[in-house]
């Protein structure tokens, strides 16, 4: 890709200086330490660092041109832009041949439900015979490829490279989770979405966004900046309704609502539910289908409605929608049944926000004939405000709580647990503190009896525990299954 093509792509936002504009650019880089040949270095001002200060280092590493927000005292050509993050997304898309334009891209944002909704929509599209790629918290999946991703929404260079590989593998639809951080950092610049889904807005990430208003505004960007795409909104959520009003006022693209409590384009009537799943009748813009969801909970009916409404707008048949939803048996770490011990049923769930924990506990409480036990902790160096709230929720809905460590990162696990305790003690003293997570799971299994249900919450499908900057192998599912096997042997 020639430098002149990059200049043309950023036309209207740039002021160019330097020579050799016909130079061939072989790579784009944002890390000044990485060695490149004929590379373009994008200077980005971050929260803690400003890579404009690393431009000279990048040139020594092989950069032959820069994208920057201010003129620098260097000899290589510079493309000056008002926002280098937006420029990065656009240039990354161009560098990889704008692969996203060859596919239909569906973005999903919201505090909870993004992963499950993406898997439901992917399953529906596959039933329709489409080749689908999925990008999100559980990694990247398309064709025979399935690999982890460090971020829910990858950075632009990785994202557009992934799009290019998906296109090369015949992918027709991409279903991707779009986090609030990704929207704040404008990672989706250069993508044309066919549809965008909003699941809900509840407290999370306030360590970064500081308040709910800033967090909400980040989520709303997906529907403001990509206004011409079809918007699928949760009509039972206040933020979803606000997004709808904004789009109507601005004359944006088509907007559809789904919900269970307020009038909506798509809704469901739940006819039966239990630990085996939920049966309901879906009405998707007056098209009906009866389904049985294996994934538990009323909150997952919302996710099914979101996926089904989006699929209908993409031209998918109701037959494929029903088959896709019913064919999805579980989503890893999302209220996932992992086994039983002495008639005690054990579930692992990613619930790491107050709303998610409440939804999971409410769901299991409805079917629990014995005691409902809840094991969880909170992540370190993250939103501290939700810790006491989650303690309160566990106290209200669980019969007994085991407080333990999650990903403490650089905090003392006991300090985190103390924050949770403050909330729990307001409503109940029925809890125990077991800081080591594996020991806590072992304790919970021994403590449980009869027809109890044990919920192990917070980490879901994560395969590590982060302590003092080191990620140690740890997966709730695997640890629990191994402990269950050990206890079964002991009973024989």
């Amino acid at each position: 890709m020639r430098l002149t093509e990059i200049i043309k792509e950023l036309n209207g936002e740039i002021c160019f200086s330097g020579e050799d504009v016909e130079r061939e650019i072989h790579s784009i880089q944002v890390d000044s330490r990485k060695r490149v040949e004929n590379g373009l270095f994008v200077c980005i001002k971050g929260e803690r660092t400003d890579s404009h200060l690393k431009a000279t280092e990048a040139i020594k590493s092989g950069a032959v041109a820069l994208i920057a927000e201010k003129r620098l005292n260097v000899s290589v050509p510079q493309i000056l832009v008002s926002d280098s993050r937006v420029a990065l997304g656009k240039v990354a898309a161009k560098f990889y041949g704008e692969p996203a334009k060859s596919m239909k891209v569906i973005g999903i944002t919201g505090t909870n439900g993004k992963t499950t909704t993406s898997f439901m929509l992917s399953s529906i599209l596959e039933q329709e015979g489409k080749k689908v790629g999925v990008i999100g918290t559980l990694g990247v999946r398309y064709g025979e490829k399935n690999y982890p991703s460090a971020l829910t929404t990858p950075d632009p260079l990785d994202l557009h490279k992934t799009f290019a590989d998906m296109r090369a593998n015949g992918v027709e639809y991409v279903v991707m989770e779009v986090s609030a951080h990704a929207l704040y950092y404008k990672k989706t610049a250069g993508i044309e979405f066919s549809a965008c889904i909003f699941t809900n807005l509840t407290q999370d990430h306030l360590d970064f966004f500081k308040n709910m208003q800033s967090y909400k505004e980040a989520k709303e960007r997906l529907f403001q900046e990509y206004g011409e795409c079809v918007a699928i909104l949760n009509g039972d959520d206040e933020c979803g309704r606000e997004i709808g009003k904004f789009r109507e006022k601005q004359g944006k693209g088509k907007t559809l609502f789904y919900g269970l409590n307020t009038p909506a384009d798509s809704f469901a009537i739940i006819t039966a539910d239990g630990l085996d799943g939920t049966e309901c009748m879906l009405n998707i813009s007056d098209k009906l289908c009866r389904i049985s969801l294996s994934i538990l909970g009323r909150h997952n009916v919302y996710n099914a409605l979101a996926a089904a409404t989006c699929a209908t707008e993409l031209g998918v048949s109701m037959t494929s929608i029903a088959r896709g939803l019913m064919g999805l048996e579980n989503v890893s770490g999302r209220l996932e049944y992992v086994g039983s011990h002495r008639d005690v049923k054990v579930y692992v769930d990613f619930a790491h926000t107050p709303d998610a924990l409440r939804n999971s506990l409410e769901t299991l409480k409805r079917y629990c004939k014995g005691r409902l036990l809840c094991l969880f902790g909170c992540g370190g160096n993250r939103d501290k405000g939700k810790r006491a709230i989650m303690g309160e929720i566990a106290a209200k809905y669980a019969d007994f709580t085991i407080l333990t460590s999650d990903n403490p990162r650089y905090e003392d696990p006991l300090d985190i647990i103390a924050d949770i305790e403050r909330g729990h003690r307001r409503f109940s003293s029925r809890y125990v503190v077991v800081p080591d997570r594996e020991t806590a799971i072992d304790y919970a299994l021994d403590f449980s009896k009869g027809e109890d249900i044990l919920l192990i919450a917070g980490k879901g499908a994560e395969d590590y525990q982060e302590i003092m900057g080191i990620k140690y192998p740890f997966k709730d599912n695997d640890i629990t299954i191994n402990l269950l096997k050990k206890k079964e042997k002991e009973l024989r």
Side-chain angles (χ1 to χ4, degrees), residues 463-491:
D463 59 3
Y464 64 86
Q465 188 173 35
E466 187 176 348
I467 305 170
M468 297 302 291
I470 300 173
K471 290 185 176 181
Y472 297 92
F474 194 103
K475 190 172 184 178
D476 282 348
N477 193 312
D478 293 344
I479 295 291
T480 304
I481 289 173
N482 288 336
L483 286 171
L484 287 172
K485 288 179 179 178
K486 178 183 175 182
K487 293 181 187 303
E488 284 301 310
K489 287 182 180 179
E490 293 171 352
L491 289 174

Side-chain angles (χ1 to χ4, degrees), residues 147-360:
Y147 57 88
S149 174
L151 300 168
T152 296
T153 309
D155 289 330
L157 291 175
D158 291 333
L159 183 57
H160 289 279
K161 183 179 179 181
T162 299
F163 285 153
D165 197 42
M166 285 181 170
R167 179 179 62 182
N169 280 268
V171 170
E172 302 166 275
Y173 290 80
V174 180
V175 184
M176 63 179 289
E177 297 178 48
V178 184
S179 68
H181 291 80
L183 290 164
Y184 177 86
Y185 285 122
K186 303 169 185 176
K187 291 184 184 181
T188 53
I191 302 174
E192 293 182 7
F193 290 97
S194 296
C196 292
I197 296 172
F198 172 77
T199 59
N200 49 63
L201 183 80
T202 60
Q203 182 175 335
D204 199 14
H205 304 304
L206 297 193
D207 55 301
F208 180 86
F209 290 102
K210 307 306 179 187
N211 56 67
M212 285 298 294
Q213 181 62 28
S214 296
Y215 180 44
K216 179 170 77 76
E217 288 172 357
K219 293 288 187 187
E220 290 173 339
R221 284 184 181 182
L222 186 62
F223 304 92
Q224 295 170 353
E225 297 175 9
Y226 303 91
E228 298 310 311
C229 74
V230 177
I232 313 296
L233 309 174
N234 183 347
D236 288 348
D237 185 282
E238 183 180 357
C239 182
R241 294 192 296 273
E242 287 182 11
I243 294 171
K245 290 177 182 177
F246 169 83
R247 288 174 64 87
E248 182 180 4
K249 184 177 180 180
Q250 297 296 319
K252 297 290 185 180
K254 188 174 184 179
T255 300
L256 294 170
F257 291 98
Y258 65 92
L260 295 176
N261 302 324
T262 56
D265 301 283
S266 299
F267 60 93
I269 298 173
I270 298 173
T271 55
D273 59 355
L275 288 176
D276 294 329
T278 305
E279 292 185 10
C280 54
M281 176 69 78
L282 300 185
N283 184 319
I284 311 298
S285 297
D286 294 329
K287 296 179 181 178
L288 305 178
C289 71
R290 185 178 294 279
I291 62 167
S292 296
L293 286 175
S294 297
I295 305 175
L296 305 182
R298 181 184 175 92
H299 56 290
N300 281 314
V301 177
Y302 278 97
N303 297 332
L305 282 169
T309 305
C310 184
T312 301
E313 285 303 301
L314 295 173
V316 177
S317 69
M318 292 302 288
T319 299
S320 293
I321 289 172
R323 288 176 177 172
L325 291 173
M326 291 193 291
L328 187 65
E329 294 183 0
N330 64 67
V331 178
S332 182
R334 270 61 183 176
L335 206 50
E336 180 182 9
Y337 173 70
V338 295
S340 62
H341 172 59
R342 297 181 305 190
D343 295 325
V344 175
K345 295 183 182 296
V346 185
Y347 293 83
V348 167
D349 191 44
F350 188 49
H352 63 286
T353 69
D355 187 62
L357 185 63
R358 181 187 297 107
N359 285 336
S360 295

Side-chain angles (χ1 to χ4, degrees), residues 3 16-19 55 59 63-66 72-79:
L3 194 54
F16 180 78
S17 65
E19 301 176 356
I59 293 168
V64 296
L66 305 177
L72 302 172
N73 186 24
V74 294
S75 58
V76 301
Q78 301 171 59
I79 305 173

